[in-house]
Amino acid sequence: SHDLIIFNKNNWNLPQKLLISAINDYLINQDKYIYINFNIFSEDLNYNSLQDIKVRVLKINDDKPDIIVSPMVLSIDEGKTGKIDVFLKTKPEKNVIIKIVNKNVNQLNLYNEKITFTNENWNSKQHIKFQGIIDNNLDGNQIVELLLSFDSDDQNYKNIDDKIIKVKVLDNNVT
């Protein structure tokens, strides 16, 4: 980044660009005005007496509460284990509990039924761990849905829509 804009006898009449970028704070807060001060220094006495310029810029907050899930679809063999990583998109003010419900307990064994995020670990990956059940049935590949729902007193996270993760359990039985 540049902290100087220089005008001289060759470019005095040409506009110069200043690129301003806000730093993402991952907090859910209001849009707000910030001020940028331009201090004027010159060797030319005609410009040296100019007052500093203060520019007001609106910083628009684009942080929205949500969870990041990776991958959203996964395939595992019967008898094998798998995991899906989950973390929050923004820093919560209060604990956020994500409840995990297995929609087909005959095909998939779920190792954890909830994950808790705090304002300390909100951006650290936590794992949803599971294992495909060996059923000895020739039933073909099965899609199991895991329902993720939010439980929180945090104003920003208490009305988040549920997420569905799909795990494809690959049948290991042969005809």
Side-chain angles (χ1 to χ4, degrees), residues 13-148:
N13 60 343
L14 301 174
Q16 293 202 31
K17 293 181 182 179
L18 175 66
L19 178 63
I20 302 169
S21 298
I23 297 172
N24 196 346
D25 59 7
Y26 301 100
L27 298 174
I28 302 166
N29 45 31
Q30 300 296 317
D31 297 346
K32 66 179 179 181
Y33 284 100
I34 57 172
Y35 293 90
I36 299 173
N37 292 317
F38 293 92
N39 301 317
I40 300 172
F41 303 101
S42 177
E43 294 173 2
D44 185 331
L45 296 179
N46 295 318
Y47 289 95
N48 219 10
S49 62
L50 292 176
Q51 289 187 354
D52 293 344
I53 300 170
K54 188 179 209 177
V55 177
R56 187 169 92 155
V57 177
L58 179 62
K59 178 186 171 272
I60 298 173
N61 187 28
D62 63 351
D63 296 316
K64 306 286 185 242
D66 204 354
I67 59 171
I68 307 296
V69 178
S70 178
M72 287 293 288
V73 178
L74 178 70
S75 296
I76 62 166
D77 292 320
E78 287 181 347
K80 300 294 182 185
T81 58
K83 73 175 174 81
I84 294 175
D85 295 325
V86 179
F87 60 95
L88 298 183
K89 190 173 179 185
T90 59
K91 185 176 183 176
E93 295 175 13
K94 297 182 180 176
N95 288 358
V96 176
I97 298 169
I98 298 176
K99 295 179 180 178
I100 308 155
V101 176
N102 180 359
K103 296 288 195 169
N104 190 341
V105 296
N106 296 321
Q107 294 292 325
L108 195 70
N109 183 27
L110 185 60
Y111 291 130
N112 47 336
E113 295 179 355
K114 70 176 182 173
I115 296 173
T116 301
F117 289 98
T118 67
N119 61 5
E120 297 288 325
N121 74 351
W122 65 275
N123 60 349
S124 298
K125 291 180 185 177
Q126 293 198 45
H127 311 294
I128 299 172
K129 297 178 184 175
F130 44 83
Q131 181 176 17
I133 295 175
I134 299 173
D135 59 11
N136 296 318
N137 295 326
L138 185 58
D139 55 358
N141 299 336
Q142 300 291 314
I143 302 293
V144 178
E145 291 184 348
L146 300 177
L147 176 68
L148 278 57

